[in-house]
Each structure stands twice: as C-alpha cells, then as structure tokens.
Amino acid sequence: MSNASPRPLKRRSVIAAAGAALAAAPVLAACGEDEDGAKAAADADASTASGTIRLGYFGNITHAPALVGLQAEVFKDALPAEVTIEETVFNAGPSAIEALFADAIDISYIGPNPAINGWAQSGGQALHIIAGSTSGGAGLVVKPDITEVEDLRGKALATPQLGNTQDVAARYWLKDQGFETDENGGGDVSVTPVDNAEVAAAFDDGTVEAAWAVEPRYSQLILKNGAVEFLNERELWEGGEFVTTHIIVSKTFLDAQPALVKAFIEAHVAALDYIEANPEEAQTASNDRIEALTDKRLDDDVIAAAFANLSFTADPLAASLQGSKDHAVEVGLLDDVDLKGIYALDALNQVLADRGETEVSAGDLA
C-alpha cells in the first residue's frame, strides 16, 4: 500500500472470497446508531479531519474518479493536510467486501452487486453507500454475423463473473427475450464466465461469439477485435443512467470518523469536477494510473471511447440499484433482500448543498 450478485447465496462461487469474513462479522450497529453516524458525518467540519483513510478501488476505467483523484493528486489537494490515504487495489468486488468486513479498508469504490451482497450477507449491518461515482459503460457486443436476437440461440456469451453486475444484466435481458440460461453454461444461450483480461482472446478464437462487457473491454472489443455493438445497456434504463460504480463505507468507520468520511466525499466530488473540467487530462491520468498498477496502457482511442460511454456523477442512482437487485432475484442469483437503509447520503447532500447544488435522493431505499 502507498499513501497518496449475489445471494444470501445459493452458489458459494459467487461470494467465496467474502463468505468467511461475512460469517464472522459482528453486528456493528443498531438502526438508531446508523442514523446518528450519517447525521454526524453531515454535521462534521471536514476541514478539521485528521488521520488515515484506507481506500479500496479497482485499476479499471469505471473507477476513474479514484484513478484521477490519486494520480492527479486531486484527493491530496482537496483533503486536509493531516489526512493521508492508504490504497488497496482489488480485482473483484468480493475481495473488497472481504477486506471491508475484515477491517482492512474503510471506504471503497465498488460495483452495485457486491454492495448488495455485503448488505445482504451482513443483514444490513456492515456498510452504507455514501455516494455515486460512475454510470453506464456496459452492454452486449457480438460477432458481425449476429444481427438479430434469435441469432444468439446456441451461442456462447461471455460475462466477467457468475453473479456479477454484467452477468445479472445479461441473464435478465436474455430471459426477457425468451431464452433460458443456467449457472453452468447450459440453456438456449451459454452464458460463460470469462475474466475481463481474457475476453478479447476468447472472442478472437471463437470460444465466445458475444460478450456482455464493461468498459474498457466494451470499447476494446469493438475497436480492436471486430465486435459490433448489439445493445448499449443505457437503452434498458430510464433516462439512460444506471449505477456502475459507487462508494461504500464500513459502518464502523462512519460512526467513528464522521469528519474523515465527509472529507473524503468532498475530495471525491473534487475528482468529479476535475474529470468534467479536464476530460483529456483525466483520461491521461487514468491511463497513467492503470499503467502504474498493471504495467499495461490502454490505447488512446480505447480510453477515449470508454470515457464517452461513461458518465461520472455523485448521484448514486438508487432506482437502478433496486432494479439490479430485482433482476438478480428474477434470474435466481439472489434471494430477495430489503435494501431500505443501504444509503447514507446525509454527508454527500450537505457537501452538495454547501456548493449550491441539487441534493440527491435514495428514493424508496431511504
């Protein structure tokens, strides 16, 4: 480190990394304490914050606010001098959830379905979503000879991981089209888990003929591997917006360090401002960070296309989280869980109000 879906679940493979830590996790707070922690963060003077924030994120363009915040030193400039960040980089959501439950991180950028998993497995006692980060950037790409929905029958379709956000989206859409799938790759369309790093090779060698991919693989497959966009997932959501990445905090940290939580939210919003005001510099900073983490750099045209397919927002897009949960339940990858209370947006809304900006809402999940 340096300064700077889910089920309460039927298949252990979906949450294997998080399972042991979740099982051992204590009940961290009662509902009244949760409300007190969220209100304390909203009322806190972030300028007085001091200490260390142990931050999790992925080395992926969908986590661009984190990449930019660290690489362009936006976080450093926005945070009080007495605050430091310790980074932990993850490759998958379950690992981040495991780390949060093991008290190895305090705050993390993460996708919607891992957050739902953590909430469900802990009975709503372990985490809160405190801000949105990224929307969009996913959908279905196919071989050029697939031109109609029926052409997918009998084909293999890659998703990054069983039960992850894109896997749920793919299975729900396929079901809506009348196709049957199962968790073992059977059915009318063989939904096949393929790691993001390997999906281009699988597409090239014919192992799969389609992929429900997320940026930057979505744009890479189109620009470098001859794929054709069949469906941008934005078309499936009201207003074209759905949560891809948001920020979670451990309840323990929220209760114990409200000023640090608010200070980080201010820094996160500053990173969003930087991306909006300096899109080309933000792309470069993101790519620089990815290269530092992976020793690989995205081609300029790929990262530009990925940024164009993403939007960055503090709004957590709560309605789409509810939708993702409902879709996971519908396709049999999640036992139903009540998400009411998962959001703690008090501090974010105070930051937005102080900036003269419109507050965001948790909607029915407040």
Side-chain angles (χ1 to χ4, degrees):
M1 291 187 288
S2 62
N3 289 334
S5 242
R7 185 191 288 283
L9 267 170
K10 290 181 179 174
R11 287 184 60 90
R12 178 173 173 80
S13 60
V14 180
I15 57 160
L22 290 168
V27 175
L28 300 178
C31 292
E33 292 170 328
D34 298 344
E35 294 171 0
D36 289 346
K39 186 177 186 302
D43 294 340
D45 182 355
S47 67
T48 67
S50 63
T52 299
I53 298 170
R54 299 171 300 170
L55 177 68
Y57 69 101
F58 296 10
N60 188 292
I61 204 66
T62 57
H63 290 227
L67 303 176
V68 169
L70 293 164
Q71 187 68 26
E73 298 191 338
V74 178
F75 290 166
K76 181 180 178 181
D77 292 342
L79 290 167
E82 295 77 15
V83 176
T84 59
I85 289 179
E86 291 182 357
E87 309 166 33
T88 301
V89 182
F90 298 100
N91 292 319
S95 298
I97 293 295
E98 177 186 13
L100 185 138
F101 274 93
D103 192 31
I105 59 172
D106 305 311
I107 294 173
S108 189
Y109 290 80
I110 199 167
N113 279 39
I116 293 171
N117 284 345
W119 178 264
Q121 290 294 312
S122 68
Q125 295 299 315
L127 61 85
H128 278 306
I129 298 166
I130 54 173
S133 174
T134 310
S135 171
L140 176 61
V141 298
V142 299
K143 294 282 191 179
D145 60 346
I146 296 176
T147 60
E148 299 179 356
V149 170
E150 187 59 28
D151 294 338
L152 291 166
R153 188 177 299 274
K155 301 297 194 297
L157 185 156
T159 65
Q161 183 183 40
L162 175 64
N164 94 321
T165 303
Q166 288 74 49
D167 185 71
V168 169
R171 292 175 187 276
Y172 182 79
W173 181 81
L174 288 168
K175 183 175 183 178
D176 197 48
Q177 306 310 306
F179 293 123
E180 293 185 1
T181 64
D182 65 34
E183 296 175 21
N184 299 309
D188 299 321
V189 179
S190 177
V191 179
T192 306
V194 179
D195 186 87
N196 281 323
E198 300 172 0
V199 68
F203 194 86
D204 285 344
D205 67 20
T207 301
V208 300
E209 294 92 357
W212 203 286
V214 66
E215 295 293 1
R217 304 305 175 200
Y218 187 88
S219 291
Q220 181 187 48
L221 288 167
I222 294 170
L223 294 172
K224 306 297 181 182
N225 300 97
V228 176
E229 182 181 75
F230 192 91
L231 175 71
N232 191 309
E233 194 176 335
R234 288 187 184 276
E235 299 172 31
L236 304 179
W237 294 93
E238 184 176 354
E241 297 291 341
F242 61 97
V243 59
T244 302
T245 309
H246 48 205
I247 302 173
I248 60 173
V249 64
S250 80
K251 287 187 176 181
T252 300
F253 191 73
L254 177 62
D255 290 341
Q257 299 287 352
L260 278 174
V261 172
K262 188 174 183 180
F264 183 78
I265 291 172
E266 290 183 348
H268 169 64
V269 172
L272 297 176
D273 288 344
Y274 183 96
I275 292 171
E276 182 177 9
N278 309 282
E280 292 184 3
E281 291 87 346
Q283 291 174 36
T284 298
S286 296
N287 220 356
D288 289 346
R289 197 69 176 189
I290 290 171
E291 184 176 27
L293 295 171
T294 67
D295 294 324
K296 296 180 181 178
R297 190 173 187 85
L298 296 172
D299 289 347
D300 290 345
D301 58 343
V302 171
I303 197 167
F307 258 70
N309 195 29
L310 294 164
S311 56
F312 303 100
T313 176
D315 190 334
L317 304 170
S320 73
L321 185 75
Q322 179 69 42
S324 292
K325 187 270 290 186
D326 291 343
H327 296 170
V329 172
E330 179 70 19
V331 300
L333 288 176
L334 177 70
D335 289 335
D336 203 4
V337 57
D338 186 359
L339 298 181
K340 189 175 179 64
I342 194 171
Y343 289 101
L345 302 177
D346 306 62
L348 172 62
N349 279 328
Q350 187 59 58
V351 169
L352 294 175
D354 290 345
R355 291 161 54 96
E357 297 179 11
T358 303
E359 296 184 5
V360 298
S361 173
D364 293 338
L365 302 183

